[in-house]
PDB file of all heavy atoms in Angstrom:
ATOM      1  N   ASN A 158      24.230   5.940  35.630  1.00 86.00           N
ATOM      2  CA  ASN A 158      24.364   6.450  37.000  1.00 86.00           C
ATOM      3  C   ASN A 158      25.674   7.139  37.274  1.00 86.00           C
ATOM      4  O   ASN A 158      25.926   7.676  38.352  1.00 86.00           O
ATOM      5  CB  ASN A 158      24.217   5.293  38.023  1.00 86.00           C
ATOM      6  CG  ASN A 158      22.779   4.740  38.036  1.00 86.00           C
ATOM      7  OD1 ASN A 158      21.838   5.422  37.717  1.00 86.00           O
ATOM      8  ND2 ASN A 158      22.669   3.474  38.394  1.00 86.00           N
ATOM      9  N   THR A 159      26.601   7.103  36.280  1.00 85.00           N
ATOM     10  CA  THR A 159      27.900   7.715  36.421  1.00 85.00           C
ATOM     11  C   THR A 159      27.867   9.165  36.007  1.00 85.00           C
ATOM     12  O   THR A 159      27.501   9.438  34.849  1.00 85.00           O
ATOM     13  CB  THR A 159      28.980   6.959  35.625  1.00 85.00           C
ATOM     14  OG1 THR A 159      29.036   5.598  36.080  1.00 85.00           O
ATOM     15  CG2 THR A 159      30.311   7.578  35.829  1.00 85.00           C
ATOM     16  N   LYS A 160      28.166  10.083  36.899  1.00 80.00           N
ATOM     17  CA  LYS A 160      28.141  11.488  36.538  1.00 80.00           C
ATOM     18  C   LYS A 160      29.446  11.880  35.865  1.00 80.00           C
ATOM     19  O   LYS A 160      30.480  11.243  36.039  1.00 80.00           O
ATOM     20  CB  LYS A 160      27.919  12.316  37.827  1.00 80.00           C
ATOM     21  CG  LYS A 160      26.584  12.108  38.487  1.00 80.00           C
ATOM     22  CD  LYS A 160      26.472  12.988  39.703  1.00 80.00           C
ATOM     23  CE  LYS A 160      25.085  12.807  40.405  1.00 80.00           C
ATOM     24  NZ  LYS A 160      24.964  13.607  41.585  1.00 80.00           N
ATOM     25  N   MET A 161      29.358  12.991  35.136  1.00 76.00           N
ATOM     26  CA  MET A 161      30.568  13.530  34.502  1.00 76.00           C
ATOM     27  C   MET A 161      31.557  14.001  35.558  1.00 76.00           C
ATOM     28  O   MET A 161      31.152  14.618  36.537  1.00 76.00           O
ATOM     29  CB  MET A 161      30.180  14.705  33.600  1.00 76.00           C
ATOM     30  CG  MET A 161      29.496  14.271  32.325  1.00 76.00           C
ATOM     31  SD  MET A 161      30.547  13.297  31.290  1.00 76.00           S
ATOM     32  CE  MET A 161      30.154  13.961  29.679  1.00 76.00           C
ATOM     33  N   PRO A 162      32.851  13.795  35.364  1.00 79.00           N
ATOM     34  CA  PRO A 162      33.841  14.299  36.308  1.00 79.00           C
ATOM     35  C   PRO A 162      33.772  15.796  36.402  1.00 79.00           C
ATOM     36  O   PRO A 162      33.539  16.500  35.382  1.00 79.00           O
ATOM     37  CB  PRO A 162      35.198  13.792  35.743  1.00 79.00           C
ATOM     38  CG  PRO A 162      34.813  12.696  34.817  1.00 79.00           C
ATOM     39  CD  PRO A 162      33.470  12.990  34.280  1.00 79.00           C
ATOM     40  N   SER A 163      33.988  16.333  37.598  1.00 79.00           N
ATOM     41  CA  SER A 163      33.919  17.845  37.753  1.00 79.00           C
ATOM     42  C   SER A 163      34.944  18.525  36.914  1.00 79.00           C
ATOM     43  O   SER A 163      34.738  19.637  36.429  1.00 79.00           O
ATOM     44  CB  SER A 163      34.093  18.170  39.238  1.00 79.00           C
ATOM     45  OG  SER A 163      35.320  17.634  39.734  1.00 79.00           O
ATOM     46  N   SER A 164      36.121  17.881  36.738  1.00 82.00           N
ATOM     47  CA  SER A 164      37.189  18.530  35.933  1.00 82.00           C
ATOM     48  C   SER A 164      36.738  18.649  34.484  1.00 82.00           C
ATOM     49  O   SER A 164      37.078  19.657  33.825  1.00 82.00           O
ATOM     50  CB  SER A 164      38.486  17.700  36.040  1.00 82.00           C
ATOM     51  OG  SER A 164      38.258  16.350  35.604  1.00 82.00           O
ATOM     52  N   TYR A 165      35.993  17.669  33.955  1.00 81.00           N
ATOM     53  CA  TYR A 165      35.504  17.728  32.602  1.00 81.00           C
ATOM     54  C   TYR A 165      34.524  18.852  32.443  1.00 81.00           C
ATOM     55  O   TYR A 165      34.568  19.629  31.469  1.00 81.00           O
ATOM     56  CB  TYR A 165      34.880  16.398  32.193  1.00 81.00           C
ATOM     57  CG  TYR A 165      34.289  16.366  30.838  1.00 81.00           C
ATOM     58  CD1 TYR A 165      35.090  16.110  29.714  1.00 81.00           C
ATOM     59  CD2 TYR A 165      32.921  16.591  30.643  1.00 81.00           C
ATOM     60  CE1 TYR A 165      34.537  16.130  28.424  1.00 81.00           C
ATOM     61  CE2 TYR A 165      32.386  16.577  29.340  1.00 81.00           C
ATOM     62  CZ  TYR A 165      33.209  16.313  28.253  1.00 81.00           C
ATOM     63  OH  TYR A 165      32.679  16.337  27.039  1.00 81.00           O
ATOM     64  N   THR A 166      33.613  18.960  33.417  1.00 80.00           N
ATOM     65  CA  THR A 166      32.623  20.023  33.343  1.00 80.00           C
ATOM     66  C   THR A 166      33.254  21.396  33.428  1.00 80.00           C
ATOM     67  O   THR A 166      32.880  22.315  32.661  1.00 80.00           O
ATOM     68  CB  THR A 166      31.625  19.862  34.518  1.00 80.00           C
ATOM     69  OG1 THR A 166      31.022  18.573  34.467  1.00 80.00           O
ATOM     70  CG2 THR A 166      30.497  20.909  34.456  1.00 80.00           C
ATOM     71  N   LEU A 167      34.290  21.566  34.321  1.00 84.00           N
ATOM     72  CA  LEU A 167      34.951  22.858  34.435  1.00 84.00           C
ATOM     73  C   LEU A 167      35.714  23.172  33.143  1.00 84.00           C
ATOM     74  O   LEU A 167      35.657  24.343  32.666  1.00 84.00           O
ATOM     75  CB  LEU A 167      35.939  22.761  35.600  1.00 84.00           C
ATOM     76  CG  LEU A 167      36.828  24.033  35.809  1.00 84.00           C
ATOM     77  CD1 LEU A 167      35.912  25.188  36.220  1.00 84.00           C
ATOM     78  CD2 LEU A 167      37.815  23.770  36.947  1.00 84.00           C
TER      79      LEU A 167
END
Side-chain angles (χ1 to χ4, degrees):
N158 293 334
T159 301
K160 296 181 178 179
M161 286 294 222
S163 56
S164 58
Y165 177 84
T166 304
L167 179 63

